[in-house]
Amino acid sequence: MSTGEGCAYRGFSSIMENLYNLGTWEEYVSKTLKQLGYGDFEQVFSACKSLDIGCGSGYLTGRLQGIGIDAYGIDPDIESIEYGKETSLLRYPEKLIVASMAYLPFKAGKFHTITSCNIGDVVNGSLGTRIPFPQEDESRAVEEICRV
């Protein structure tokens, strides 16, 4: 086993162990960071900018904002974004934006981290989303994700 594989396994083991002993979401993230040998929670995230693609109503975006990350969320569904701005735990609801992942409204290199849940299902249509994703936009979306 190479050093890299050991790190990946150690990280996965820490994550799984913490999932079984889950307190608050913030406690889970903090405990995992410490087990992986990273610094203090605020130290790790204080300058972090994150983008959640396909954020829906912004649940993950709100959780990330809640732990001090400068988090943005984009989704093409205006109803989901409006609902999230009205009801979720967002500290900064203005950072939920109606946009397509094929045309991201951000400068190059803006984000340290990009998250997305079920993005593959959205692109291939198996999730049955209300907003169709044109096949011709697939490669453009990958380019945009890499750009930001």
Side-chain angles (χ1 to χ4, degrees):
M1 178 184 310
S2 73
T3 306
E5 290 170 335
C7 290
Y9 177 76
R10 183 174 53 118
F12 180 75
S13 295
S14 295
I15 290 167
M16 293 311 293
E17 180 182 323
N18 290 342
L19 278 174
Y20 291 115
N21 301 315
L22 186 60
T24 67
W25 194 78
E26 290 80 3
E27 290 169 341
Y28 160 73
V29 172
S30 183
K31 185 175 179 182
T32 301
L33 285 172
K34 287 179 184 171
Q35 287 180 335
L36 293 174
Y38 293 102
D40 172 78
F41 190 80
E42 275 94 28
Q43 179 186 13
V44 173
F45 290 117
S46 63
C48 186
K49 291 189 183 303
S50 179
L51 173 63
D52 185 23
I53 295 176
C55 68
S57 60
Y59 178 79
L60 179 58
T61 306
R63 297 305 299 230
L64 293 172
Q65 288 178 358
I67 60 172
I69 295 175
D70 185 10
Y72 291 73
I74 64 121
D75 199 283
D77 188 346
I78 191 166
E79 291 175 23
S80 292
I81 295 291
E82 288 175 355
Y83 179 79
K85 286 181 175 184
E86 295 169 7
T87 62
S88 76
L89 26 109
L90 293 161
R91 288 186 177 177
Y92 308 101
E94 69 277 5
K95 292 185 178 185
L96 275 190
I97 299 165
V98 177
S100 167
M101 66 180 156
Y103 301 93
L104 297 173
F106 304 104
K107 294 179 185 175
K110 180 173 177 80
F111 299 102
H112 299 100
T113 305
I114 295 178
T115 58
S116 185
C117 300
N118 300 321
I119 194 170
D121 294 330
V122 170
V123 170
N124 73 25
S126 64
L127 204 57
T129 60
R130 296 184 303 195
I131 309 295
F133 190 79
Q135 189 172 14
E136 60 272 12
D137 281 349
E138 287 179 19
S139 61
R140 177 156 173 79
V142 172
E143 291 171 7
E144 281 290 274
I145 291 168
C146 292
R147 181 183 66 79
V148 299

mmCIF file of all heavy atoms in Angstrom, residues 6-53:
data_model
loop_
_atom_site.group_PDB
_atom_site.id
_atom_site.type_symbol
_atom_site.label_atom_id
_atom_site.label_comp_id
_atom_site.label_asym_id
_atom_site.label_seq_id
_atom_site.Cartn_x
_atom_site.Cartn_y
_atom_site.Cartn_z
ATOM 1 N N GLY A 6 -2.845 4.872 1.919
ATOM 2 C CA GLY A 6 -3.018 4.882 3.370
ATOM 3 C C GLY A 6 -3.779 6.105 3.833
ATOM 4 O O GLY A 6 -4.644 6.027 4.685
ATOM 5 N N CYS A 7 -3.442 7.260 3.221
ATOM 6 C CA CYS A 7 -4.138 8.501 3.584
ATOM 7 C C CYS A 7 -5.611 8.417 3.221
ATOM 8 O O CYS A 7 -6.473 8.803 3.999
ATOM 9 C CB CYS A 7 -3.506 9.697 2.883
ATOM 10 S SG CYS A 7 -1.875 10.100 3.494
ATOM 11 N N ALA A 8 -5.887 7.890 2.037
ATOM 12 C CA ALA A 8 -7.288 7.773 1.616
ATOM 13 C C ALA A 8 -8.039 6.824 2.542
ATOM 14 O O ALA A 8 -9.163 7.107 2.955
ATOM 15 C CB ALA A 8 -7.363 7.286 0.173
ATOM 16 N N TYR A 9 -7.416 5.697 2.871
ATOM 17 C CA TYR A 9 -8.073 4.745 3.753
ATOM 18 C C TYR A 9 -8.277 5.348 5.137
ATOM 19 O O TYR A 9 -9.343 5.227 5.721
ATOM 20 C CB TYR A 9 -7.259 3.454 3.859
ATOM 21 C CG TYR A 9 -7.887 2.473 4.819
ATOM 22 C CD1 TYR A 9 -9.009 1.747 4.437
ATOM 23 C CD2 TYR A 9 -7.410 2.333 6.116
ATOM 24 C CE1 TYR A 9 -9.621 0.873 5.320
ATOM 25 C CE2 TYR A 9 -8.010 1.465 6.998
ATOM 26 C CZ TYR A 9 -9.115 0.729 6.605
ATOM 27 O OH TYR A 9 -9.720 -0.114 7.469
ATOM 28 N N ARG A 10 -7.243 6.029 5.654
ATOM 29 C CA ARG A 10 -7.345 6.657 6.974
ATOM 30 C C ARG A 10 -8.479 7.679 6.971
ATOM 31 O O ARG A 10 -9.276 7.736 7.894
ATOM 32 C CB ARG A 10 -6.013 7.324 7.332
ATOM 33 C CG ARG A 10 -5.998 7.945 8.702
ATOM 34 C CD ARG A 10 -4.611 8.454 9.047
ATOM 35 N NE ARG A 10 -4.091 9.333 8.031
ATOM 36 C CZ ARG A 10 -3.783 10.602 8.234
ATOM 37 N NH1 ARG A 10 -3.926 11.140 9.411
ATOM 38 N NH2 ARG A 10 -3.310 11.340 7.261
ATOM 39 N N GLY A 11 -8.554 8.463 5.897
ATOM 40 C CA GLY A 11 -9.616 9.460 5.801
ATOM 41 C C GLY A 11 -10.988 8.824 5.761
ATOM 42 O O GLY A 11 -11.902 9.230 6.465
ATOM 43 N N PHE A 12 -11.138 7.764 4.954
ATOM 44 C CA PHE A 12 -12.422 7.088 4.853
ATOM 45 C C PHE A 12 -12.808 6.462 6.188
ATOM 46 O O PHE A 12 -13.951 6.571 6.629
ATOM 47 C CB PHE A 12 -12.363 6.020 3.757
ATOM 48 C CG PHE A 12 -13.659 5.279 3.591
ATOM 49 C CD1 PHE A 12 -14.737 5.888 2.969
ATOM 50 C CD2 PHE A 12 -13.808 3.992 4.074
ATOM 51 C CE1 PHE A 12 -15.937 5.220 2.827
ATOM 52 C CE2 PHE A 12 -15.000 3.315 3.926
ATOM 53 C CZ PHE A 12 -16.064 3.928 3.295
ATOM 54 N N SER A 13 -11.846 5.823 6.854
ATOM 55 C CA SER A 13 -12.130 5.200 8.148
ATOM 56 C C SER A 13 -12.581 6.230 9.167
ATOM 57 O O SER A 13 -13.525 6.009 9.926
ATOM 58 C CB SER A 13 -10.894 4.476 8.681
ATOM 59 O OG SER A 13 -10.575 3.408 7.846
ATOM 60 N N SER A 14 -11.912 7.386 9.193
ATOM 61 C CA SER A 14 -12.284 8.449 10.127
ATOM 62 C C SER A 14 -13.698 8.944 9.853
ATOM 63 O O SER A 14 -14.482 9.148 10.772
ATOM 64 C CB SER A 14 -11.314 9.624 10.022
ATOM 65 O OG SER A 14 -10.037 9.246 10.438
ATOM 66 N N ILE A 15 -13.986 9.121 8.585
ATOM 67 C CA ILE A 15 -15.317 9.612 8.216
ATOM 68 C C ILE A 15 -16.386 8.606 8.638
ATOM 69 O O ILE A 15 -17.396 8.968 9.243
ATOM 70 C CB ILE A 15 -15.378 9.893 6.701
ATOM 71 C CG1 ILE A 15 -14.520 11.125 6.377
ATOM 72 C CG2 ILE A 15 -16.812 10.091 6.232
ATOM 73 C CD1 ILE A 15 -14.252 11.320 4.912
ATOM 74 N N MET A 16 -16.175 7.343 8.334
ATOM 75 C CA MET A 16 -17.182 6.332 8.673
ATOM 76 C C MET A 16 -17.348 6.205 10.187
ATOM 77 O O MET A 16 -18.465 6.104 10.691
ATOM 78 C CB MET A 16 -16.808 4.978 8.059
ATOM 79 C CG MET A 16 -16.859 4.971 6.537
ATOM 80 S SD MET A 16 -18.384 5.668 5.846
ATOM 81 C CE MET A 16 -19.569 4.457 6.380
ATOM 82 N N GLU A 17 -16.247 6.222 10.936
ATOM 83 C CA GLU A 17 -16.340 6.141 12.389
ATOM 84 C C GLU A 17 -17.129 7.327 12.943
ATOM 85 O O GLU A 17 -17.988 7.173 13.807
ATOM 86 C CB GLU A 17 -14.938 6.130 12.996
ATOM 87 C CG GLU A 17 -14.950 6.047 14.515
ATOM 88 C CD GLU A 17 -13.535 6.087 15.086
ATOM 89 O OE1 GLU A 17 -12.623 5.519 14.470
ATOM 90 O OE2 GLU A 17 -13.387 6.708 16.148
ATOM 91 N N ASN A 18 -16.865 8.501 12.415
ATOM 92 C CA ASN A 18 -17.569 9.690 12.892
ATOM 93 C C ASN A 18 -19.042 9.682 12.513
ATOM 94 O O ASN A 18 -19.874 10.217 13.241
ATOM 95 C CB ASN A 18 -16.888 10.950 12.377
ATOM 96 C CG ASN A 18 -15.540 11.166 13.035
ATOM 97 O OD1 ASN A 18 -15.262 10.592 14.075
ATOM 98 N ND2 ASN A 18 -14.702 11.963 12.409
ATOM 99 N N LEU A 19 -19.390 9.084 11.390
ATOM 100 C CA LEU A 19 -20.800 8.996 11.007
ATOM 101 C C LEU A 19 -21.591 8.185 12.020
ATOM 102 O O LEU A 19 -22.728 8.503 12.339
ATOM 103 C CB LEU A 19 -20.941 8.366 9.623
ATOM 104 C CG LEU A 19 -20.725 9.295 8.446
ATOM 105 C CD1 LEU A 19 -20.750 8.507 7.147
ATOM 106 C CD2 LEU A 19 -21.753 10.401 8.416
ATOM 107 N N TYR A 20 -20.980 7.125 12.544
ATOM 108 C CA TYR A 20 -21.667 6.286 13.522
ATOM 109 C C TYR A 20 -21.804 6.974 14.873
ATOM 110 O O TYR A 20 -22.696 6.671 15.644
ATOM 111 C CB TYR A 20 -20.952 4.946 13.687
ATOM 112 C CG TYR A 20 -21.067 4.084 12.468
ATOM 113 C CD1 TYR A 20 -19.943 3.747 11.734
ATOM 114 C CD2 TYR A 20 -22.310 3.625 12.024
ATOM 115 C CE1 TYR A 20 -20.048 2.959 10.592
ATOM 116 C CE2 TYR A 20 -22.421 2.843 10.886
ATOM 117 C CZ TYR A 20 -21.292 2.513 10.177
ATOM 118 O OH TYR A 20 -21.397 1.740 9.053
ATOM 119 N N ASN A 21 -20.915 7.894 15.171
ATOM 120 C CA ASN A 21 -20.935 8.605 16.450
ATOM 121 C C ASN A 21 -21.332 10.063 16.253
ATOM 122 O O ASN A 21 -20.803 10.945 16.915
ATOM 123 C CB ASN A 21 -19.546 8.533 17.107
ATOM 124 C CG ASN A 21 -19.119 7.104 17.331
ATOM 125 O OD1 ASN A 21 -19.906 6.296 17.797
ATOM 126 N ND2 ASN A 21 -17.885 6.790 16.982
ATOM 127 N N LEU A 22 -22.231 10.306 15.349
ATOM 128 C CA LEU A 22 -22.571 11.658 14.932
ATOM 129 C C LEU A 22 -23.311 12.430 16.014
ATOM 130 O O LEU A 22 -24.328 11.989 16.528
ATOM 131 C CB LEU A 22 -23.434 11.590 13.663
ATOM 132 C CG LEU A 22 -23.780 12.882 12.972
ATOM 133 C CD1 LEU A 22 -22.501 13.602 12.533
ATOM 134 C CD2 LEU A 22 -24.647 12.619 11.760
ATOM 135 N N GLY A 23 -22.751 13.577 16.369
ATOM 136 C CA GLY A 23 -23.444 14.542 17.217
ATOM 137 C C GLY A 23 -24.035 15.562 16.262
ATOM 138 O O GLY A 23 -24.783 15.218 15.352
ATOM 139 N N THR A 24 -23.631 16.809 16.414
ATOM 140 C CA THR A 24 -24.053 17.808 15.433
ATOM 141 C C THR A 24 -23.177 17.666 14.201
ATOM 142 O O THR A 24 -22.096 17.083 14.239
ATOM 143 C CB THR A 24 -23.908 19.239 15.992
ATOM 144 O OG1 THR A 24 -22.515 19.519 16.174
ATOM 145 C CG2 THR A 24 -24.660 19.422 17.283
ATOM 146 N N TRP A 25 -23.632 18.235 13.101
ATOM 147 C CA TRP A 25 -22.864 18.192 11.861
ATOM 148 C C TRP A 25 -21.516 18.872 12.058
ATOM 149 O O TRP A 25 -20.493 18.393 11.588
ATOM 150 C CB TRP A 25 -23.681 18.869 10.770
ATOM 151 C CG TRP A 25 -23.173 18.606 9.387
ATOM 152 C CD1 TRP A 25 -23.356 17.465 8.662
ATOM 153 C CD2 TRP A 25 -22.413 19.481 8.576
ATOM 154 N NE1 TRP A 25 -22.754 17.591 7.445
ATOM 155 C CE2 TRP A 25 -22.172 18.820 7.360
ATOM 156 C CE3 TRP A 25 -21.919 20.762 8.741
ATOM 157 C CZ2 TRP A 25 -21.457 19.393 6.324
ATOM 158 C CZ3 TRP A 25 -21.202 21.341 7.711
ATOM 159 C CH2 TRP A 25 -20.984 20.656 6.519
ATOM 160 N N GLU A 26 -21.500 19.977 12.772
ATOM 161 C CA GLU A 26 -20.270 20.712 13.018
ATOM 162 C C GLU A 26 -19.286 19.886 13.851
ATOM 163 O O GLU A 26 -18.086 19.886 13.592
ATOM 164 C CB GLU A 26 -20.568 22.045 13.700
ATOM 165 C CG GLU A 26 -21.265 23.057 12.813
ATOM 166 C CD GLU A 26 -22.773 22.830 12.688
ATOM 167 O OE1 GLU A 26 -23.332 21.906 13.341
ATOM 168 O OE2 GLU A 26 -23.406 23.565 11.910
ATOM 169 N N GLU A 27 -19.797 19.150 14.851
ATOM 170 C CA GLU A 27 -18.940 18.282 15.659
ATOM 171 C C GLU A 27 -18.327 17.175 14.796
ATOM 172 O O GLU A 27 -17.153 16.836 14.943
ATOM 173 C CB GLU A 27 -19.728 17.665 16.812
ATOM 174 C CG GLU A 27 -20.120 18.645 17.881
ATOM 175 C CD GLU A 27 -21.126 18.069 18.873
ATOM 176 O OE1 GLU A 27 -21.798 17.059 18.554
ATOM 177 O OE2 GLU A 27 -21.228 18.634 19.961
ATOM 178 N N TYR A 28 -19.132 16.637 13.908
ATOM 179 C CA TYR A 28 -18.659 15.586 13.006
ATOM 180 C C TYR A 28 -17.510 16.094 12.137
ATOM 181 O O TYR A 28 -16.461 15.453 12.023
ATOM 182 C CB TYR A 28 -19.824 15.091 12.147
ATOM 183 C CG TYR A 28 -19.396 14.384 10.892
ATOM 184 C CD1 TYR A 28 -18.848 13.110 10.952
ATOM 185 C CD2 TYR A 28 -19.535 14.995 9.658
ATOM 186 C CE1 TYR A 28 -18.441 12.463 9.797
ATOM 187 C CE2 TYR A 28 -19.133 14.349 8.501
ATOM 188 C CZ TYR A 28 -18.585 13.089 8.580
ATOM 189 O OH TYR A 28 -18.181 12.463 7.447
ATOM 190 N N VAL A 29 -17.686 17.269 11.515
ATOM 191 C CA VAL A 29 -16.643 17.830 10.649
ATOM 192 C C VAL A 29 -15.390 18.136 11.459
ATOM 193 O O VAL A 29 -14.275 17.804 11.061
ATOM 194 C CB VAL A 29 -17.155 19.086 9.906
ATOM 195 C CG1 VAL A 29 -16.030 19.777 9.161
ATOM 196 C CG2 VAL A 29 -18.283 18.723 8.956
ATOM 197 N N SER A 30 -15.552 18.748 12.618
ATOM 198 C CA SER A 30 -14.418 19.107 13.459
ATOM 199 C C SER A 30 -13.631 17.864 13.887
ATOM 200 O O SER A 30 -12.396 17.828 13.811
ATOM 201 C CB SER A 30 -14.912 19.868 14.685
ATOM 202 O OG SER A 30 -13.832 20.282 15.468
ATOM 203 N N LYS A 31 -14.329 16.831 14.327
ATOM 204 C CA LYS A 31 -13.684 15.603 14.774
ATOM 205 C C LYS A 31 -12.925 14.934 13.617
ATOM 206 O O LYS A 31 -11.799 14.473 13.786
ATOM 207 C CB LYS A 31 -14.740 14.651 15.343
ATOM 208 C CG LYS A 31 -14.172 13.387 15.948
ATOM 209 C CD LYS A 31 -15.282 12.572 16.586
ATOM 210 C CE LYS A 31 -14.735 11.284 17.169
ATOM 211 N NZ LYS A 31 -15.794 10.467 17.753
ATOM 212 N N THR A 32 -13.533 14.899 12.443
ATOM 213 C CA THR A 32 -12.892 14.296 11.283
ATOM 214 C C THR A 32 -11.627 15.058 10.906
ATOM 215 O O THR A 32 -10.588 14.458 10.632
ATOM 216 C CB THR A 32 -13.869 14.231 10.089
ATOM 217 O OG1 THR A 32 -15.007 13.457 10.466
ATOM 218 C CG2 THR A 32 -13.213 13.600 8.867
ATOM 219 N N LEU A 33 -11.689 16.382 10.907
ATOM 220 C CA LEU A 33 -10.509 17.185 10.584
ATOM 221 C C LEU A 33 -9.365 16.897 11.545
ATOM 222 O O LEU A 33 -8.215 16.748 11.131
ATOM 223 C CB LEU A 33 -10.853 18.677 10.620
ATOM 224 C CG LEU A 33 -11.663 19.202 9.450
ATOM 225 C CD1 LEU A 33 -12.093 20.632 9.713
ATOM 226 C CD2 LEU A 33 -10.873 19.107 8.160
ATOM 227 N N LYS A 34 -9.683 16.829 12.822
ATOM 228 C CA LYS A 34 -8.646 16.561 13.821
ATOM 229 C C LYS A 34 -8.035 15.180 13.619
ATOM 230 O O LYS A 34 -6.827 15.000 13.713
ATOM 231 C CB LYS A 34 -9.215 16.706 15.229
ATOM 232 C CG LYS A 34 -9.447 18.151 15.601
ATOM 233 C CD LYS A 34 -10.029 18.291 16.982
ATOM 234 C CE LYS A 34 -10.320 19.763 17.245
ATOM 235 N NZ LYS A 34 -11.070 19.962 18.457
ATOM 236 N N GLN A 35 -8.864 14.172 13.315
ATOM 237 C CA GLN A 35 -8.353 12.820 13.098
ATOM 238 C C GLN A 35 -7.472 12.734 11.859
ATOM 239 O O GLN A 35 -6.574 11.914 11.793
ATOM 240 C CB GLN A 35 -9.501 11.818 12.998
ATOM 241 C CG GLN A 35 -10.146 11.546 14.329
ATOM 242 C CD GLN A 35 -11.287 10.561 14.213
ATOM 243 O OE1 GLN A 35 -11.894 10.420 13.163
ATOM 244 N NE2 GLN A 35 -11.590 9.892 15.298
ATOM 245 N N LEU A 36 -7.733 13.577 10.888
ATOM 246 C CA LEU A 36 -6.935 13.574 9.664
ATOM 247 C C LEU A 36 -5.668 14.414 9.805
ATOM 248 O O LEU A 36 -4.883 14.510 8.868
ATOM 249 C CB LEU A 36 -7.780 14.075 8.486
ATOM 250 C CG LEU A 36 -8.928 13.150 8.074
ATOM 251 C CD1 LEU A 36 -9.789 13.807 7.009
ATOM 252 C CD2 LEU A 36 -8.393 11.817 7.575
ATOM 253 N N GLY A 37 -5.486 15.039 10.965
ATOM 254 C CA GLY A 37 -4.265 15.795 11.215
ATOM 255 C C GLY A 37 -4.301 17.236 10.767
ATOM 256 O O GLY A 37 -3.266 17.888 10.668
ATOM 257 N N TYR A 38 -5.493 17.756 10.501
ATOM 258 C CA TYR A 38 -5.607 19.162 10.120
ATOM 259 C C TYR A 38 -5.747 20.006 11.378
ATOM 260 O O TYR A 38 -6.011 19.507 12.456
ATOM 261 C CB TYR A 38 -6.804 19.382 9.190
ATOM 262 C CG TYR A 38 -6.618 18.713 7.856
ATOM 263 C CD1 TYR A 38 -7.249 17.528 7.559
ATOM 264 C CD2 TYR A 38 -5.773 19.266 6.906
ATOM 265 C CE1 TYR A 38 -7.064 16.892 6.333
ATOM 266 C CE2 TYR A 38 -5.581 18.654 5.683
ATOM 267 C CZ TYR A 38 -6.228 17.465 5.403
ATOM 268 O OH TYR A 38 -6.034 16.856 4.206
ATOM 269 N N GLY A 39 -5.613 21.308 11.207
ATOM 270 C CA GLY A 39 -5.645 22.217 12.353
ATOM 271 C C GLY A 39 -7.021 22.460 12.905
ATOM 272 O O GLY A 39 -7.995 21.754 12.620
ATOM 273 N N ASP A 40 -7.085 23.487 13.678
ATOM 274 C CA ASP A 40 -8.309 23.961 14.310
ATOM 275 C C ASP A 40 -9.384 24.210 13.245
ATOM 276 O O ASP A 40 -9.098 24.636 12.133
ATOM 277 C CB ASP A 40 -7.963 25.244 15.078
ATOM 278 C CG ASP A 40 -9.167 25.945 15.612
ATOM 279 O OD1 ASP A 40 -9.700 25.497 16.640
ATOM 280 O OD2 ASP A 40 -9.581 26.946 14.996
ATOM 281 N N PHE A 41 -10.615 23.964 13.619
ATOM 282 C CA PHE A 41 -11.756 24.077 12.713
ATOM 283 C C PHE A 41 -11.810 25.435 12.015
ATOM 284 O O PHE A 41 -11.879 25.521 10.800
ATOM 285 C CB PHE A 41 -13.027 23.850 13.534
ATOM 286 C CG PHE A 41 -14.260 23.696 12.719
ATOM 287 C CD1 PHE A 41 -14.542 22.493 12.119
ATOM 288 C CD2 PHE A 41 -15.123 24.742 12.566
ATOM 289 C CE1 PHE A 41 -15.681 22.340 11.373
ATOM 290 C CE2 PHE A 41 -16.261 24.602 11.823
ATOM 291 C CZ PHE A 41 -16.545 23.392 11.222
ATOM 292 N N GLU A 42 -11.765 26.523 12.789
ATOM 293 C CA GLU A 42 -11.838 27.858 12.197
ATOM 294 C C GLU A 42 -10.628 28.144 11.320
ATOM 295 O O GLU A 42 -10.726 28.809 10.308
ATOM 296 C CB GLU A 42 -11.982 28.944 13.265
ATOM 297 C CG GLU A 42 -13.412 29.176 13.709
ATOM 298 C CD GLU A 42 -13.764 28.363 14.937
ATOM 299 O OE1 GLU A 42 -12.851 28.059 15.727
ATOM 300 O OE2 GLU A 42 -14.938 28.016 15.107
ATOM 301 N N GLN A 43 -9.483 27.642 11.729
ATOM 302 C CA GLN A 43 -8.254 27.852 10.966
ATOM 303 C C GLN A 43 -8.375 27.222 9.578
ATOM 304 O O GLN A 43 -7.957 27.798 8.586
ATOM 305 C CB GLN A 43 -7.075 27.245 11.722
ATOM 306 C CG GLN A 43 -5.744 27.375 11.030
ATOM 307 C CD GLN A 43 -4.653 26.626 11.778
ATOM 308 O OE1 GLN A 43 -4.927 25.829 12.668
ATOM 309 N NE2 GLN A 43 -3.427 26.878 11.408
ATOM 310 N N VAL A 44 -8.961 26.054 9.513
ATOM 311 C CA VAL A 44 -9.093 25.353 8.240
ATOM 312 C C VAL A 44 -10.076 26.070 7.323
ATOM 313 O O VAL A 44 -9.849 26.211 6.123
ATOM 314 C CB VAL A 44 -9.541 23.885 8.461
ATOM 315 C CG1 VAL A 44 -9.857 23.198 7.141
ATOM 316 C CG2 VAL A 44 -8.459 23.121 9.203
ATOM 317 N N PHE A 45 -11.186 26.549 7.869
ATOM 318 C CA PHE A 45 -12.257 27.074 7.029
ATOM 319 C C PHE A 45 -12.364 28.592 6.935
ATOM 320 O O PHE A 45 -13.160 29.101 6.157
ATOM 321 C CB PHE A 45 -13.608 26.528 7.513
ATOM 322 C CG PHE A 45 -13.766 25.070 7.252
ATOM 323 C CD1 PHE A 45 -13.896 24.177 8.294
ATOM 324 C CD2 PHE A 45 -13.769 24.582 5.964
ATOM 325 C CE1 PHE A 45 -14.040 22.826 8.055
ATOM 326 C CE2 PHE A 45 -13.912 23.232 5.706
ATOM 327 C CZ PHE A 45 -14.046 22.355 6.763
ATOM 328 N N SER A 46 -11.585 29.333 7.692
ATOM 329 C CA SER A 46 -11.787 30.776 7.751
ATOM 330 C C SER A 46 -11.661 31.475 6.393
ATOM 331 O O SER A 46 -12.333 32.458 6.145
ATOM 332 C CB SER A 46 -10.833 31.413 8.760
ATOM 333 O OG SER A 46 -9.501 31.215 8.344
ATOM 334 N N ALA A 47 -10.812 30.977 5.517
ATOM 335 C CA ALA A 47 -10.630 31.625 4.215
ATOM 336 C C ALA A 47 -11.189 30.790 3.064
ATOM 337 O O ALA A 47 -10.950 31.092 1.908
ATOM 338 C CB ALA A 47 -9.150 31.899 3.983
ATOM 339 N N CYS A 48 -11.937 29.764 3.389
ATOM 340 C CA CYS A 48 -12.419 28.836 2.375
ATOM 341 C C CYS A 48 -13.648 29.387 1.647
ATOM 342 O O CYS A 48 -14.590 29.864 2.270
ATOM 343 C CB CYS A 48 -12.760 27.493 3.022
ATOM 344 S SG CYS A 48 -13.208 26.232 1.829
ATOM 345 N N LYS A 49 -13.606 29.305 0.324
ATOM 346 C CA LYS A 49 -14.767 29.656 -0.496
ATOM 347 C C LYS A 49 -15.253 28.378 -1.167
ATOM 348 O O LYS A 49 -14.465 27.641 -1.755
ATOM 349 C CB LYS A 49 -14.393 30.688 -1.549
ATOM 350 C CG LYS A 49 -14.068 32.049 -0.986
ATOM 351 C CD LYS A 49 -13.928 33.062 -2.103
ATOM 352 C CE LYS A 49 -13.526 34.412 -1.595
ATOM 353 N NZ LYS A 49 -14.400 34.990 -0.624
ATOM 354 N N SER A 50 -16.553 28.134 -1.072
ATOM 355 C CA SER A 50 -17.113 26.888 -1.576
ATOM 356 C C SER A 50 -18.322 27.165 -2.461
ATOM 357 O O SER A 50 -19.080 28.101 -2.222
ATOM 358 C CB SER A 50 -17.530 26.006 -0.391
ATOM 359 O OG SER A 50 -18.099 24.809 -0.850
ATOM 360 N N LEU A 51 -18.495 26.335 -3.477
ATOM 361 C CA LEU A 51 -19.645 26.413 -4.370
ATOM 362 C C LEU A 51 -20.348 25.069 -4.366
ATOM 363 O O LEU A 51 -19.717 24.035 -4.586
ATOM 364 C CB LEU A 51 -19.206 26.760 -5.796
ATOM 365 C CG LEU A 51 -20.296 26.717 -6.870
ATOM 366 C CD1 LEU A 51 -21.387 27.759 -6.591
ATOM 367 C CD2 LEU A 51 -19.687 26.917 -8.249
ATOM 368 N N ASP A 52 -21.656 25.076 -4.105
ATOM 369 C CA ASP A 52 -22.466 23.867 -4.189
ATOM 370 C C ASP A 52 -23.283 23.949 -5.472
ATOM 371 O O ASP A 52 -24.168 24.802 -5.597
ATOM 372 C CB ASP A 52 -23.372 23.732 -2.971
ATOM 373 C CG ASP A 52 -24.138 22.412 -2.965
ATOM 374 O OD1 ASP A 52 -23.681 21.453 -3.620
ATOM 375 O OD2 ASP A 52 -25.181 22.343 -2.305
ATOM 376 N N ILE A 53 -22.973 23.081 -6.423
ATOM 377 C CA ILE A 53 -23.662 23.072 -7.717
ATOM 378 C C ILE A 53 -24.873 22.154 -7.623
ATOM 379 O O ILE A 53 -24.753 21.012 -7.197
ATOM 380 C CB ILE A 53 -22.704 22.605 -8.827
ATOM 381 C CG1 ILE A 53 -21.570 23.632 -8.988
ATOM 382 C CG2 ILE A 53 -23.449 22.411 -10.141
ATOM 383 C CD1 ILE A 53 -20.512 23.233 -9.980
#
